[in-house]
Amino acid sequence: MPLAAPGPGPATGPLARVAVVSEPVAGATSEESGERRVKRALEGTVALVTGASSGIGAATAATLAAHGAAVALAARRRDRLAELAAGITGQGGTALVLECDVTDQEQAAAAVDRTATELGRLDTLVNNAGLMLLGPAAGAPLAEWQQMVELNVLGLLYCAHAALPHLLRAAADGPRQVADMVNISSVAGRFARNGNGVYALTKFGMGAFSESLRQELAGQYVRVSLVEPGATATELASHNRPEILDSIRNQFGQTMAAADIADAIGYIVTRPRHVAVNEMLIRPTEQQR
Ligand SMILES: NC(=O)c1ccc[n+]([C@@H]2O[C@H](COP(=O)([O-])OP(=O)(O)OC[C@H]3O[C@@H](n4cnc5c(N)ncnc54)[C@H](OP(=O)(O)O)[C@@H]3O)[C@@H](O)[C@H]2O)c1
């Protein structure tokens, strides 16, 4: 089952992946303090990561910062974002804390606008914020279904809509002449299972939107990528009702670290301009379904 183990310890907290080594851009150097140094792949670019206060989002923000991007960190828990931002700036990076609820269209648009205004541009959007509430459909609290649709579908759409003009501009006149939207789906976006129907619905929908948008924007060099993780140790499952948690706990097998998914996202957005990684399905080696 593509389920995450609940409740990470500090090892998967926001600071867990700040120390990432970036691949240099081949042959690119710049002068700084009279010394030649290798330019990192995302230097001069700006990335916005939603759901950056924990798990995959926090690890991704740290990875993109290590590749040289200035990063805007969006989520509701300001303290967690501030801790991550301090880790990034402590290593010489640039980070902007954006406390926001992306299910609120105005807050989502404001997060995108503040990124472009305060960091100067927007080259990369990682639509990562998500919620997975499992269990039988019969008798399920409707509020759980509404929460998943509001965050996994509408939250993504609000951010994507606000970001598109900036991404198109970045691809047209930015330093890399290419921009990226990376949407974090799930194995559940490929395979629906008994008990994950609404979560799978939102992730299948994300796949459809991403593929349509990819075709629309391909000629304008805005790459749209879909990442489909399997079981990854984050806080994701911990939001389920206790009785659901009890019933799914023994399904957890091997898990990946959030950093494993962040590495994949870092790979996707550092490809040369003529290479687009459209889709990436990543499971722990032992995960069968
Ligand atoms: N972990 C897995 O096994 C797994 C597998 C497949 C796919 N995924 C996908 O990976 C993505 C990240 O999940 P994760 O595993 O890293 O889980 P996580 O640790 O629970 O992270 C979810 C993030 O979303 C943010 N978020 C929740 N509601 C929000 C809202 N209304 N507005 C803004 N941000 C909000 C949370 O921050 P705040 O609470 O501070 O707002 C948190 O930073 C999700 O889309 C999930 O579906 C995860």
Side-chain angles (χ1 to χ4, degrees):
M1 281 282 286
L3 306 178
T12 53
L15 291 180
R17 281 293 290 181
V18 171
V20 179
V21 177
S22 179
E23 285 176 41
V25 179
T29 58
S30 65
E31 300 287 334
E32 197 173 82
S33 308
E35 292 176 8
R36 281 170 74 80
R37 71 179 178 85
V38 178
K39 194 174 177 191
R40 290 174 297 169
L42 299 182
E43 264 180 44
T45 75
V46 173
L48 167 61
V49 181
T50 70
S53 63
S54 70
I56 293 169
T60 298
T63 294
L64 300 184
H67 281 300
V71 287
L73 314 171
R76 296 166 303 177
R77 286 172 292 177
R78 169 175 282 278
D79 55 335
R80 299 281 291 266
L81 297 177
E83 187 190 347
L84 176 58
I88 290 169
T89 55
Q91 296 198 11
T94 300
L96 173 67
V97 169
L98 297 170
E99 180 183 344
C100 79
D101 179 343
V102 298
T103 67
D104 180 310
Q105 187 264 327
E106 287 184 4
Q107 290 187 41
V112 170
D113 286 349
R114 277 193 62 194
T115 302
T117 305
E118 295 181 36
L119 296 179
R121 51 187 301 105
L122 178 61
D123 302 85
T124 306
L125 171 65
V126 182
N127 278 310
N128 164 78
L131 183 64
M132 176 191 73
L133 300 173
L134 304 173
L142 260 183
E144 292 191 348
W145 295 3
Q146 288 164 339
Q147 276 179 279
M148 282 189 283
V149 172
E150 282 168 9
L151 180 59
N152 301 359
V153 179
L154 288 175
L156 176 143
L157 294 178
Y158 296 150
C159 293
H161 186 267
L164 279 173
H166 299 287
L167 297 177
L168 285 163
R169 198 170 310 128
D173 60 20
R176 305 179 69 223
Q177 300 271 290
V178 68
D180 286 283
M181 182 188 300
V182 182
N183 295 331
I184 310 305
S185 176
S186 169
V187 170
R190 288 272 204 99
F191 308 100
R193 310 278 187 217
N194 183 348
N196 78 356
V198 179
Y199 181 65
L201 177 154
T202 65
K203 296 299 188 180
F204 269 73
M206 186 185 291
F209 176 67
S210 300
E211 173 57 18
S212 170
L213 198 57
R214 185 193 69 76
Q215 294 174 23
E216 178 182 332
L217 301 177
Q220 293 164 90
Y221 281 82
V222 176
R223 302 181 293 204
V224 180
S225 304
L226 191 68
V227 174
E228 298 153 317
T232 308
T234 69
E235 298 176 10
L236 190 70
S238 68
H239 305 294
N240 282 278
R241 283 170 279 140
E243 63 270 28
I244 300 296
L245 263 184
D246 285 345
S247 70
I248 60 179
R249 204 179 298 275
N250 61 2
Q251 295 169 359
F252 301 144
Q254 187 179 36
T255 55
M256 297 177 288
D260 295 322
I261 307 305
D263 281 346
I265 296 166
Y267 175 83
I268 288 170
V269 302
T270 55
R271 290 314 84 206
R273 182 174 183 262
H274 67 287
V275 177
V277 181
N278 301 153
E279 189 171 2
M280 205 185 267
L281 175 64
I282 313 164
R283 290 185 177 93
T285 305
E286 293 176 12
Q287 183 176 325
Q288 293 183 16
R289 302 204 313 147

PDB file of all heavy atoms in Angstrom, residues 259-277:
ATOM      1  N   ALA A 259      13.820  12.893   1.827  1.00  0.00           N
ATOM      2  CA  ALA A 259      14.977  13.330   1.041  1.00  0.00           C
ATOM      3  C   ALA A 259      15.117  12.540  -0.257  1.00  0.00           C
ATOM      4  O   ALA A 259      15.649  13.052  -1.245  1.00  0.00           O
ATOM      5  CB  ALA A 259      16.247  13.182   1.881  1.00  0.00           C
ATOM      6  N   ASP A 260      14.651  11.290  -0.254  1.00  0.00           N
ATOM      7  CA  ASP A 260      14.732  10.497  -1.490  1.00  0.00           C
ATOM      8  C   ASP A 260      13.853  11.118  -2.574  1.00  0.00           C
ATOM      9  O   ASP A 260      14.211  11.145  -3.755  1.00  0.00           O
ATOM     10  CB  ASP A 260      14.286   9.053  -1.227  1.00  0.00           C
ATOM     11  CG  ASP A 260      15.216   8.324  -0.268  1.00  0.00           C
ATOM     12  OD1 ASP A 260      16.442   8.532  -0.358  1.00  0.00           O
ATOM     13  OD2 ASP A 260      14.703   7.560   0.580  1.00  0.00           O
ATOM     14  N   ILE A 261      12.679  11.606  -2.184  1.00  0.00           N
ATOM     15  CA  ILE A 261      11.784  12.241  -3.161  1.00  0.00           C
ATOM     16  C   ILE A 261      12.333  13.618  -3.546  1.00  0.00           C
ATOM     17  O   ILE A 261      12.288  14.022  -4.712  1.00  0.00           O
ATOM     18  CB  ILE A 261      10.357  12.362  -2.582  1.00  0.00           C
ATOM     19  CG1 ILE A 261       9.866  10.990  -2.067  1.00  0.00           C
ATOM     20  CG2 ILE A 261       9.401  12.908  -3.645  1.00  0.00           C
ATOM     21  CD1 ILE A 261       9.915   9.866  -3.081  1.00  0.00           C
ATOM     22  N   ALA A 262      12.883  14.319  -2.568  1.00  0.00           N
ATOM     23  CA  ALA A 262      13.483  15.627  -2.866  1.00  0.00           C
ATOM     24  C   ALA A 262      14.615  15.496  -3.871  1.00  0.00           C
ATOM     25  O   ALA A 262      14.773  16.340  -4.763  1.00  0.00           O
ATOM     26  CB  ALA A 262      13.974  16.275  -1.565  1.00  0.00           C
ATOM     27  N   ASP A 263      15.404  14.449  -3.743  1.00  0.00           N
ATOM     28  CA  ASP A 263      16.489  14.225  -4.709  1.00  0.00           C
ATOM     29  C   ASP A 263      15.926  14.108  -6.124  1.00  0.00           C
ATOM     30  O   ASP A 263      16.491  14.641  -7.083  1.00  0.00           O
ATOM     31  CB  ASP A 263      17.236  12.921  -4.386  1.00  0.00           C
ATOM     32  CG  ASP A 263      18.223  13.090  -3.242  1.00  0.00           C
ATOM     33  OD1 ASP A 263      18.523  14.238  -2.874  1.00  0.00           O
ATOM     34  OD2 ASP A 263      18.687  12.056  -2.719  1.00  0.00           O
ATOM     35  N   ALA A 264      14.811  13.363  -6.235  1.00  0.00           N
ATOM     36  CA  ALA A 264      14.198  13.169  -7.554  1.00  0.00           C
ATOM     37  C   ALA A 264      13.698  14.503  -8.111  1.00  0.00           C
ATOM     38  O   ALA A 264      13.866  14.791  -9.307  1.00  0.00           O
ATOM     39  CB  ALA A 264      13.051  12.172  -7.451  1.00  0.00           C
ATOM     40  N   ILE A 265      13.101  15.314  -7.254  1.00  0.00           N
ATOM     41  CA  ILE A 265      12.598  16.617  -7.705  1.00  0.00           C
ATOM     42  C   ILE A 265      13.779  17.509  -8.114  1.00  0.00           C
ATOM     43  O   ILE A 265      13.736  18.208  -9.131  1.00  0.00           O
ATOM     44  CB  ILE A 265      11.742  17.263  -6.599  1.00  0.00           C
ATOM     45  CG1 ILE A 265      10.493  16.397  -6.348  1.00  0.00           C
ATOM     46  CG2 ILE A 265      11.347  18.701  -6.977  1.00  0.00           C
ATOM     47  CD1 ILE A 265       9.747  16.729  -5.076  1.00  0.00           C
ATOM     48  N   GLY A 266      14.842  17.444  -7.330  1.00  0.00           N
ATOM     49  CA  GLY A 266      16.046  18.202  -7.688  1.00  0.00           C
ATOM     50  C   GLY A 266      16.578  17.770  -9.049  1.00  0.00           C
ATOM     51  O   GLY A 266      16.997  18.601  -9.866  1.00  0.00           O
ATOM     52  N   TYR A 267      16.546  16.485  -9.308  1.00  0.00           N
ATOM     53  CA  TYR A 267      16.995  15.971 -10.616  1.00  0.00           C
ATOM     54  C   TYR A 267      16.130  16.536 -11.736  1.00  0.00           C
ATOM     55  O   TYR A 267      16.626  17.040 -12.751  1.00  0.00           O
ATOM     56  CB  TYR A 267      16.928  14.438 -10.614  1.00  0.00           C
ATOM     57  CG  TYR A 267      17.257  13.808 -11.944  1.00  0.00           C
ATOM     58  CD1 TYR A 267      18.577  13.585 -12.327  1.00  0.00           C
ATOM     59  CD2 TYR A 267      16.240  13.450 -12.838  1.00  0.00           C
ATOM     60  CE1 TYR A 267      18.886  13.018 -13.552  1.00  0.00           C
ATOM     61  CE2 TYR A 267      16.537  12.880 -14.073  1.00  0.00           C
ATOM     62  CZ  TYR A 267      17.861  12.674 -14.427  1.00  0.00           C
ATOM     63  OH  TYR A 267      18.164  12.127 -15.646  1.00  0.00           O
ATOM     64  N   ILE A 268      14.820  16.492 -11.531  1.00  0.00           N
ATOM     65  CA  ILE A 268      13.876  16.936 -12.579  1.00  0.00           C
ATOM     66  C   ILE A 268      14.130  18.394 -12.959  1.00  0.00           C
ATOM     67  O   ILE A 268      14.199  18.730 -14.147  1.00  0.00           O
ATOM     68  CB  ILE A 268      12.420  16.749 -12.073  1.00  0.00           C
ATOM     69  CG1 ILE A 268      12.064  15.255 -12.034  1.00  0.00           C
ATOM     70  CG2 ILE A 268      11.426  17.523 -12.945  1.00  0.00           C
ATOM     71  CD1 ILE A 268      10.745  14.958 -11.332  1.00  0.00           C
ATOM     72  N   VAL A 269      14.257  19.260 -11.969  1.00  0.00           N
ATOM     73  CA  VAL A 269      14.320  20.697 -12.280  1.00  0.00           C
ATOM     74  C   VAL A 269      15.719  21.169 -12.653  1.00  0.00           C
ATOM     75  O   VAL A 269      15.891  22.326 -13.036  1.00  0.00           O
ATOM     76  CB  VAL A 269      13.745  21.554 -11.127  1.00  0.00           C
ATOM     77  CG1 VAL A 269      12.309  21.160 -10.836  1.00  0.00           C
ATOM     78  CG2 VAL A 269      14.599  21.451  -9.867  1.00  0.00           C
ATOM     79  N   THR A 270      16.706  20.290 -12.572  1.00  0.00           N
ATOM     80  CA  THR A 270      18.047  20.696 -12.996  1.00  0.00           C
ATOM     81  C   THR A 270      18.429  20.095 -14.358  1.00  0.00           C
ATOM     82  O   THR A 270      19.586  20.183 -14.769  1.00  0.00           O
ATOM     83  CB  THR A 270      19.115  20.292 -11.939  1.00  0.00           C
ATOM     84  OG1 THR A 270      19.011  18.883 -11.681  1.00  0.00           O
ATOM     85  CG2 THR A 270      18.923  21.065 -10.648  1.00  0.00           C
ATOM     86  N   ARG A 271      17.445  19.485 -15.040  1.00  0.00           N
ATOM     87  CA  ARG A 271      17.750  18.976 -16.388  1.00  0.00           C
ATOM     88  C   ARG A 271      18.003  20.149 -17.339  1.00  0.00           C
ATOM     89  O   ARG A 271      17.463  21.236 -17.134  1.00  0.00           O
ATOM     90  CB  ARG A 271      16.590  18.145 -16.936  1.00  0.00           C
ATOM     91  CG  ARG A 271      16.327  16.787 -16.295  1.00  0.00           C
ATOM     92  CD  ARG A 271      17.568  15.957 -16.085  1.00  0.00           C
ATOM     93  NE  ARG A 271      18.250  16.315 -14.835  1.00  0.00           N
ATOM     94  CZ  ARG A 271      19.560  16.146 -14.595  1.00  0.00           C
ATOM     95  NH1 ARG A 271      20.341  15.672 -15.525  1.00  0.00           N
ATOM     96  NH2 ARG A 271      20.105  16.486 -13.448  1.00  0.00           N
ATOM     97  N   PRO A 272      18.792  19.905 -18.374  1.00  0.00           N
ATOM     98  CA  PRO A 272      18.977  20.960 -19.368  1.00  0.00           C
ATOM     99  C   PRO A 272      17.649  21.313 -20.038  1.00  0.00           C
ATOM    100  O   PRO A 272      16.691  20.552 -19.996  1.00  0.00           O
ATOM    101  CB  PRO A 272      19.964  20.351 -20.363  1.00  0.00           C
ATOM    102  CG  PRO A 272      20.137  18.931 -20.006  1.00  0.00           C
ATOM    103  CD  PRO A 272      19.554  18.686 -18.656  1.00  0.00           C
ATOM    104  N   ARG A 273      17.632  22.470 -20.643  1.00  0.00           N
ATOM    105  CA  ARG A 273      16.402  23.068 -21.191  1.00  0.00           C
ATOM    106  C   ARG A 273      15.653  22.136 -22.148  1.00  0.00           C
ATOM    107  O   ARG A 273      14.426  22.163 -22.222  1.00  0.00           O
ATOM    108  CB  ARG A 273      16.809  24.359 -21.908  1.00  0.00           C
ATOM    109  CG  ARG A 273      15.683  25.152 -22.510  1.00  0.00           C
ATOM    110  CD  ARG A 273      16.233  26.465 -23.041  1.00  0.00           C
ATOM    111  NE  ARG A 273      15.145  27.283 -23.553  1.00  0.00           N
ATOM    112  CZ  ARG A 273      14.809  27.372 -24.829  1.00  0.00           C
ATOM    113  NH1 ARG A 273      15.488  26.684 -25.743  1.00  0.00           N
ATOM    114  NH2 ARG A 273      13.806  28.147 -25.200  1.00  0.00           N
ATOM    115  N   HIS A 274      16.382  21.299 -22.883  1.00  0.00           N
ATOM    116  CA  HIS A 274      15.719  20.469 -23.902  1.00  0.00           C
ATOM    117  C   HIS A 274      15.251  19.134 -23.356  1.00  0.00           C
ATOM    118  O   HIS A 274      14.785  18.283 -24.126  1.00  0.00           O
ATOM    119  CB  HIS A 274      16.670  20.247 -25.089  1.00  0.00           C
ATOM    120  CG  HIS A 274      17.864  19.403 -24.757  1.00  0.00           C
ATOM    121  ND1 HIS A 274      18.900  19.867 -23.990  1.00  0.00           N
ATOM    122  CD2 HIS A 274      18.173  18.123 -25.056  1.00  0.00           C
ATOM    123  CE1 HIS A 274      19.804  18.919 -23.852  1.00  0.00           C
ATOM    124  NE2 HIS A 274      19.379  17.838 -24.482  1.00  0.00           N
ATOM    125  N   VAL A 275      15.385  18.914 -22.037  1.00  0.00           N
ATOM    126  CA  VAL A 275      14.985  17.627 -21.431  1.00  0.00           C
ATOM    127  C   VAL A 275      13.891  17.856 -20.402  1.00  0.00           C
ATOM    128  O   VAL A 275      14.073  18.625 -19.449  1.00  0.00           O
ATOM    129  CB  VAL A 275      16.190  16.944 -20.741  1.00  0.00           C
ATOM    130  CG1 VAL A 275      15.748  15.646 -20.059  1.00  0.00           C
ATOM    131  CG2 VAL A 275      17.306  16.678 -21.738  1.00  0.00           C
ATOM    132  N   ALA A 276      12.746  17.208 -20.601  1.00  0.00           N
ATOM    133  CA  ALA A 276      11.640  17.323 -19.643  1.00  0.00           C
ATOM    134  C   ALA A 276      11.321  15.934 -19.081  1.00  0.00           C
ATOM    135  O   ALA A 276      10.995  15.014 -19.827  1.00  0.00           O
ATOM    136  CB  ALA A 276      10.406  17.903 -20.326  1.00  0.00           C
ATOM    137  N   VAL A 277      11.415  15.803 -17.774  1.00  0.00           N
ATOM    138  CA  VAL A 277      11.012  14.550 -17.120  1.00  0.00           C
ATOM    139  C   VAL A 277       9.519  14.689 -16.832  1.00  0.00           C
ATOM    140  O   VAL A 277       9.110  15.377 -15.911  1.00  0.00           O
ATOM    141  CB  VAL A 277      11.808  14.317 -15.819  1.00  0.00           C
ATOM    142  CG1 VAL A 277      11.381  12.995 -15.164  1.00  0.00           C
ATOM    143  CG2 VAL A 277      13.306  14.327 -16.085  1.00  0.00           C
TER     144      VAL A 277
END
